C-alpha cells in the first residue's frame, strides 16, 4: 500500500547529509573545510557522511594542491541531484499536507 | 559558531516522526489505525515513535471506546506545534539556500 513516506530517501534523512546535499546542490564544488564550517561538524563526522554519500554515487571527491596545501573538495553527481530533488519533493509533499 | 543545522530538531529528524507531526499538525485528532495506514508503519514501530514524541511533550493520547471497541487517538500539543513549526522553518531555510 502506498504511504506518505514512500519517496523519502533514507540516505538524506540525517540532517548532516541533508545539509551536505543542499550545499552541493547550489555550488559547483565545495571544500571539506568549508562544508565543516557551514555545518558545524567534526572532521570525523563530516568524513563519515561524505563517505556514505559517495558510496551511494551522490557526490564525487576532487583532491588537489593549492600551492603546497592539499585541498579536498566535493561536487554533486547527476544521480545525486536527481535523488536529492526527488527527496525534497517528497519532503515538501509530506510537510505541506495542509 | 552558528551552523546551518542549529535549528533542526533532532526529535523530528526521523521520517516517521516527521510524518506523525505533519499529520497531527493539520488534524485535531488522529487515531492509531489511521496514522499507521497513512504512514505504512508496523504497530510496534508507530508505538515507539509516538512514545518518544509524547515523552517530549509534543503530543497527547486519548483513549476511548467507540461502541465496544477501544480506540486510541493522538493530538498535537501547543509545545509540539511550536517546536514543529520551528523545525520546518529551519528545514526550509536549509533546503532553499539557493
Amino acid at each position: 500500500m502506498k504511504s506518505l513516506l514512500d519517496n523519502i530517501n533514507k540516505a538524506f534523512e540525517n540532517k548532516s547529509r541533508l545539509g551536505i546535499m543542499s550545499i552541493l546542490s547550489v555550488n559547483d564544488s565545495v571544500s571539506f573545510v568549508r562544508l565543516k564550517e557551514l555545518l558545524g561538524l567534526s572532521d570525523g563526522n563530516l568524513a563519515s557522511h561524505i563517505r556514505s554519500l559517495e558510496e551511494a554515487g551522490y557526490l564525487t571527491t576532487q583532491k588537489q594542491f593549492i600551492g603546497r596545501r592539499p585541498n579536498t573538495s566535493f561536487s554533486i553527481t547527476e544521480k545525486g541531484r536527481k535523488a536529492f530533488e526527488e527527496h525534497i519533493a517528497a519532503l515538501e509533499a509530506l510537510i505541506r499536507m495542509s
Side-chain angles (χ1 to χ4, degrees), chain A:
Chain A
M1 198 165 74
K2 270 199 70 60
S3 115
L4 286 170
L5 303 180
D6 283 348
N7 297 316
I8 304 277
N9 189 334
K10 190 84 189 160
F12 308 134
E13 196 167 12
N14 173 281
K15 67 177 178 180
S16 302
R17 289 201 290 274
L18 189 70
I20 293 167
M21 293 301 287
S22 294
I23 294 167
L24 295 184
S25 73
V26 294
N27 292 279
D28 287 344
S29 171
V30 183
S31 72
F32 188 87
V33 172
R34 182 73 180 131
L35 275 179
K36 209 180 100 160
E37 186 179 276
L38 286 168
L39 298 171
L41 299 174
S42 69
D43 280 17
N45 205 342
L46 177 56
S48 140
H49 289 304
I50 293 272
R51 193 159 48 241
S52 76
L53 291 169
E54 185 164 34
E55 281 168 7
Y58 293 155
L59 61 79
T60 54
T61 303
Q62 300 90 41
K63 288 177 196 277
Q64 55 176 10
F65 278 81
I66 296 184
R68 289 187 175 187
R69 304 184 59 189
N71 181 281
T72 303
S73 60
F74 309 95
S75 300
I76 198 169
T77 61
E78 268 316 298
K79 182 183 177 185
R81 185 176 300 280
K82 189 165 178 297
F84 186 64
E85 283 170 1
E86 284 170 5
H87 176 74
I88 296 305
L91 209 51
E92 287 182 340
L94 180 61
I95 66 187
R96 281 185 199 298
M97 276 183 303
S98 47

